[in-house]
Amino acid sequence: MKLGIEGKWALVCAASKGLGKGCAKALVMEGVNVVITARGDEALQATATELRALNPNVQVVTVTGDITLPEGRASALAAAPHIDILVNNAGGPPPGDFRNWSRDDWIKAVDANMLTPIDLIKSVIDGMCERSFGRIVNITSAAVKAPIDTLGLSNGARSGLTGFVAGLARQPQVAGKNVTINGLLPGPFDTERLQTMIAAWAKRDGKTYEELAAVRAKTVPARRFGNADEFGATCAFLCSVHAGYITGQNVLMDGGSFPGTF
Ligand code: NAP
């Protein structure tokens, strides 16, 4: 299936590794020009080289910076002529016990995982409406649907974003202009973030990485972790011309872990 988005411009935030990179790859393979961001320049340039090799006909622009800071967002937005597709992403907040979190910890999480995506949406949505095409995908977490007790900062901040977007996506002046906003909710995906967490649990429990990874994967009905390419393919479909009637939704990708009928 051709996705019909060749020649569009996408901003994919936090995309040198993991899920963001998976989304950038899928979009580039569909002929979309991309601006990709990350704080570390070395991995970002390596990813850009990989993306250019995947499709030499697209433009791949890199912006090194922190997307949770106003200057990081300004540079990212300035790097494209306009934005047709926005993939919101950033690092997730750390786990812990809420008794130990200060106001600053909360502000940091809300800033990164709620206010940053909202600010980027604010910057691009009117242009999308004027051009009668826009696709916004917010990478959040399965924790929005089924909270994880140790990830309270993530549960809280991402639910705030999800609630805000639920209202915005349904405004006729947005949905009626062929501009869609959806959440993409990862369960466990085999990225550096998950690998780091498994390595820490293995160290804590005196087990090997392989033992702990196998135990964790067994808790997923699919009996494996997701991979960034399949995440990216779903993201690209949500950004396609075919997905214009899907908006305000939260698409869970968790290998069947969520136990509900809906
Ligand atoms: P990852 O493999 O660690 O990759 C994170 C990417 O984001 C890197 O390219 C990183 O590059 C970039 N990044 C992080 N903070 C940034 C910032 N402030 N500004 C710009 N770039 C930034 O992580 P991932 O697994 O893809 O996770 C992506 C998001 O999905 C996170 O919010 C995570 O919490 C969430 N999530 C992941 C899983 C999972 O199983 N993987 C499950 C649920 C939710 P730099 O470090 O160089 O900036």
Side-chain angles (χ1 to χ4, degrees):
M1 185 194 277
K2 291 287 286 174
L3 297 189
I5 47 178
E6 211 174 311
K8 302 278 189 205
W9 273 95
L11 167 57
V12 188
C13 304
S16 67
K17 297 175 189 169
L19 304 179
K21 179 178 172 181
C23 296
K25 275 173 76 177
L27 291 170
V28 158
M29 285 193 285
E30 286 298 321
V32 176
N33 303 302
V34 293
V35 176
I36 56 169
T37 83
R39 292 163 303 178
D41 190 57
E42 199 179 327
L44 187 64
Q45 296 311 329
T47 294
T49 304
E50 230 182 280
L51 296 178
R52 290 180 189 118
L54 279 177
N55 188 348
N57 300 318
V58 302
Q59 295 189 56
V60 176
V61 182
T62 58
V63 175
T64 307
D66 188 335
I67 202 69
T68 68
L69 299 177
E71 52 272 29
R73 293 194 287 280
S75 323
L77 291 165
H82 59 265
I83 305 291
D84 304 301
I85 294 168
L86 168 65
V87 180
N88 273 315
N89 186 30
D97 183 331
F98 91 100
R99 291 166 190 80
N100 301 325
W101 293 330
S102 65
R103 177 178 166 78
D104 277 356
D105 295 323
W106 275 106
I107 298 291
K108 211 171 160 192
V110 168
D111 226 359
N113 298 108
M114 179 182 172
L115 300 181
T116 289
I118 291 174
D119 193 52
L120 285 166
I121 292 171
K122 185 172 138 188
S123 299
V124 301
I125 200 162
D126 291 342
M128 289 177 169
C129 292
E130 276 160 27
R131 292 186 297 278
S132 294
F133 180 91
R135 298 287 184 264
I136 300 172
V137 175
N138 297 315
I139 299 179
T140 60
S141 171
V144 167
K145 195 167 164 78
I148 301 166
D149 59 355
T150 55
L151 291 178
L153 289 169
S154 173
N155 300 338
R158 295 187 201 275
S159 295
L161 172 67
T162 305
F164 167 75
V165 159
L168 180 64
R170 288 169 173 83
Q171 286 184 359
Q173 49 291 33
V174 174
K177 293 289 182 184
N178 190 26
V179 174
T180 69
I181 318 178
N182 292 291
L184 196 45
L185 284 54
F189 273 76
D190 192 14
T191 64
E192 217 173 279
R193 176 175 163 95
L194 185 67
Q195 288 157 11
T196 308
M197 283 164 78
I198 289 173
W201 296 329
K203 198 172 164 197
R204 180 198 64 194
D205 297 352
K207 299 213 161 88
T208 66
Y209 178 90
E210 287 69 25
E211 280 170 328
L212 247 289
V215 169
R216 178 70 182 92
K218 257 197 181 162
T219 66
V220 182
R223 292 289 187 263
R224 66 175 179 88
F225 299 134
N227 68 66
D229 286 346
E230 58 195 344
F231 189 87
T234 306
C235 175
F237 178 74
L238 287 174
C239 297
S240 75
V241 292
H242 311 298
Y245 212 49
I246 304 174
T247 195
Q249 301 303 304
N250 288 287
V251 178
L252 183 62
M253 292 186 74
D254 69 349
S257 298
F258 183 74
T261 306
F262 297 103

